[in-house]
Every structure is written in structure tokens, then in C-alpha cells.
Amino acid sequence: MTIAVNIEQVSKHYGQLTALQSLNFTIPKGSFFGLLGPNGAGKSTLISIMAGLVYPSKGQVQIMGHDVRHAWRQARQCLGVVPQELVVDMFFTVNQLLTLQSGYFGLGRANRPWLQELLHVLNLEDKSNTLMMNLSGGMKRRVLIAQALVHKPAVVVLDEPTAGVDIELRKLLWEFIKRLHQAGHTIVLTTHYLEEAENLCEHIAILNQGQLIALDHKQALLSHHPYRLLYLAIPNLELSQLPPALHPKIHSSTTADQLVLQLHQDHDPIATVLDTLRSANLHFTDLHTQQPRLEDVFLSLTHRAVPHSL
């Protein structure tokens, strides 16, 4: 396996505050990698270290084999970061901003066709001569993505790329990002929209309080979660009618017309649950199950689980 990002025993301290503690993992080349965690987990600190904006207190990071401190020119040539904040120079046009960014990497007129392609695929062609101050927030987000890609980096880091954008723009961004991945770019995504990470990412790392608490293929992580949900349509449901054995399994999403039970994958056979309901003379009109989602795994690992009973 070729490694795109190598993180070796990385720690970061701000006085008495520990932002990162002994992180040690790799991101495979060509992967779609999810870097997840609650607020304050250390994701932004790690991205800043990868970009060379912050030095680690201990350890090292390599981008495509280049140390971000000792071979920073080569490392930055291989990395493009789309920040969460909309930080742009408001007095440049879109064209001027992208041309200036190209110059930072020593790219001249030969890079112009690529800039035109970025403008085209991000639907920015008609805004190319517009001042940044006159663009909407969604348009600024597209420019930030184009800015991160002017030098065709091998590794693209997306820090909350769809935060605060509308559905249409979100769809456009993901279609574009999928194209980048298919073209061979390594994608590193941080997001609080866990359904996006579940749909897109192949590998997942979860940080909590500066520590790595999970790292695996997405399907392997999902298979580790021991619970699934059983949805039963029961008109005019009264919880007092349920057998006592089922009360601990009642999920918080239960409603007056739908009973939702959280069942252990190994210890709660669905057939046994249905027999228990029949014995209490409770009849359902429909049922379906829901397998574990990434959100369930995330909440379980970060100790922020939703209550299982009403």
C-alpha cells in the first residue's frame, strides 16, 4: 500500500492544554478518508500541522513522503486545503485570486487551461471577473475549492466543505469531489454531516479529546456496533401495554403509532421479540429494520449516545 499521509506519534500542546496526543496512523494513497470527531477533538489542529501552519510538539507528518517541516516546499506542492472559514481577499476578482495562487507555486500561463477547467466545473465562469466581495457565500466556497486545486495537489483536504451551503451547491460539490477522487486524488474529509462521510468515505478515523479512538474501513466500523433498530407500526400504541421485558429496548424515536426497539445483534433475535408482542396481544401492520449507521458508531465511541428508552 502506498501512503499519501504519514502521521507518526504526533502530539501538540498549548501550555497545559493537550490538543493532540500521540497520533499514529497513515492515509492510503488514492483513498477517500474521513477524519471525524466532535468539536475540540483536534481535527483542525492536525490539518494545520499537515499544512505547515502549526508545528507539532512531538512527532512528524509526511505528505507523499515529504516531511512538512524539513521538506516543506515539496510537501505543500502535494497538498491542497479547503478551509472551513471563508477567508478570501475581497478586493480581488476570482480570476486574479486564482492567478495569484498559481504564482505561489511557480505556475505561469501554462496553467491557464487548468484554471479555466476549474471555473467551468465549479460553475464560476460567469463570475470570473467579479470581485470576491460581491459573491455569495456559496460562490466564495467554490472559489476556495478552486484555489486549493490550482496546483493539482495529490492530497486534497476538505474541512467542512458543505457547512452552511444549500442543497444544490452541496450536490455540485460532491459530484466534483467524486471526480477528483476517481482521477486519483487522495481526499481527506472532515464533516459533522455523518451521512456524507458514510456515503463517501472508504476509511474512517475518529478523534476525541486529541486521541485516535477508532481507525478502520467504514464497513468494519459499522459491523462493530452491536445494535440495530426494529420499527413496528402499531396504531394507537400505549407503552403500558408492552411486556416488561421489552421496556429496556424502547428507543427514543418511538411515537404513538410506531414502536422502535433497539436490539442487540447477538442477544435479541427478532423472532423472539415478535413472539413476545403476540403473547401480549399486540399486532403490528408493518415492520422494517435499520442496520447501524455511522452516526450510531460515532455517538457510541465518543460517549454521546442518544438515550435508548423514553
Side-chain angles (χ1 to χ4, degrees):
M1 177 187 68
T2 304
I3 296 172
V5 181
N6 186 27
I7 298 164
E8 296 183 11
Q9 299 299 327
V10 169
S11 296
K12 180 61 182 177
H13 306 287
Y14 295 97
Q16 299 298 315
L17 174 66
T18 299
L20 297 174
Q21 184 175 339
S22 300
L23 296 187
N24 191 43
F25 64 96
T26 60
I27 298 176
K29 181 182 178 182
S31 64
F32 207 127
F33 192 93
L35 183 63
L36 309 180
N39 289 331
K43 304 184 299 295
S44 294
T45 299
L46 180 58
I47 291 172
S48 295
I49 291 173
M50 291 169 59
L53 301 176
V54 172
Y55 288 157
S57 303
K58 179 184 176 184
Q60 61 180 351
V61 174
Q62 296 173 336
I63 309 294
M64 300 301 293
H66 306 292
D67 187 275
V68 297
R69 290 191 65 177
H70 305 298
W72 59 270
R73 288 184 184 275
Q74 296 90 332
R76 293 183 191 183
Q77 189 75 38
C78 297
L79 183 70
V81 178
V82 181
Q84 181 177 351
E85 297 81 11
L86 296 176
V87 181
V88 293
D89 193 316
M90 295 298 183
F91 298 97
F92 280 97
T93 67
V94 174
N95 257 331
Q96 289 170 337
L97 195 65
L98 297 184
T99 301
L100 181 64
Q101 185 75 8
S102 293
Y104 290 147
F105 293 93
L107 302 172
R109 293 183 179 179
N111 199 44
R112 194 64 203 171
W114 172 238
L115 297 186
Q116 291 296 333
E117 184 176 347
L118 288 174
L119 291 172
H120 174 70
V121 296
L122 289 168
N123 289 344
L124 287 169
E125 286 177 303
D126 61 340
K127 303 293 184 182
S128 61
N129 293 313
T130 302
L131 288 173
M132 293 298 297
M133 70 171 68
N134 295 327
L135 295 181
S136 66
M139 288 294 177
K140 290 187 180 80
R141 179 77 63 189
R142 299 185 200 191
V143 175
L144 286 178
I145 292 175
Q147 192 175 15
L149 296 173
V150 296
H151 57 299
K152 298 183 180 179
V155 180
V156 181
V157 178
L158 304 161
D159 190 3
E160 297 285 346
T162 58
V165 304
D166 60 35
I167 295 175
E168 182 180 356
L169 177 55
R170 184 174 298 173
K171 182 178 179 181
L172 182 147
L173 293 180
W174 286 134
E175 289 300 321
F176 179 58
I177 291 164
K178 287 178 183 177
R179 284 179 55 187
L180 287 176
H181 181 233
Q182 291 167 359
H185 294 266
T186 301
I187 307 296
V188 181
L189 169 68
T190 77
T191 180
H192 287 295
Y193 299 117
L194 296 184
E195 67 277 9
E196 290 183 345
E198 184 170 350
N199 290 335
L200 293 165
C201 297
E202 304 161 344
H203 301 76
I204 302 285
I206 299 178
L207 304 183
N208 195 30
Q209 298 181 350
Q211 300 182 56
L212 181 67
I213 60 172
L215 174 66
D216 215 327
H217 290 276
K218 176 180 62 183
Q219 290 304 323
L221 272 179
L222 293 174
S223 68
H224 291 163
H225 190 69
Y227 295 100
R228 59 182 167 177
L229 297 180
L230 173 63
Y231 292 80
L232 296 151
I234 304 178
N236 304 314
L237 172 65
E238 293 185 13
L239 296 182
S240 60
Q241 299 175 292
L242 288 177
L246 295 183
H247 279 226
K249 307 181 192 305
I250 300 174
H251 192 264
S252 58
S253 56
T254 291
T255 66
D257 295 313
Q258 182 172 250
L259 173 64
V260 184
L261 300 175
Q262 180 166 277
L263 306 180
H264 195 283
Q265 300 269 29
D266 299 324
H267 305 147
D268 297 317
I270 291 178
T272 301
V273 172
L274 298 182
D275 288 341
T276 302
L277 288 171
R278 292 191 189 97
S279 67
N281 202 31
L282 290 172
H283 304 284
F284 55 89
T285 59
D286 192 17
L287 70 82
H288 69 275
T289 61
Q290 178 180 288
Q291 295 303 313
R293 300 170 300 170
L294 185 58
E295 180 179 352
D296 300 317
V297 176
F298 179 87
L299 292 172
S300 175
L301 290 172
T302 56
H303 307 292
R304 300 185 179 198
V306 176
H308 297 158
S309 60
L310 296 173

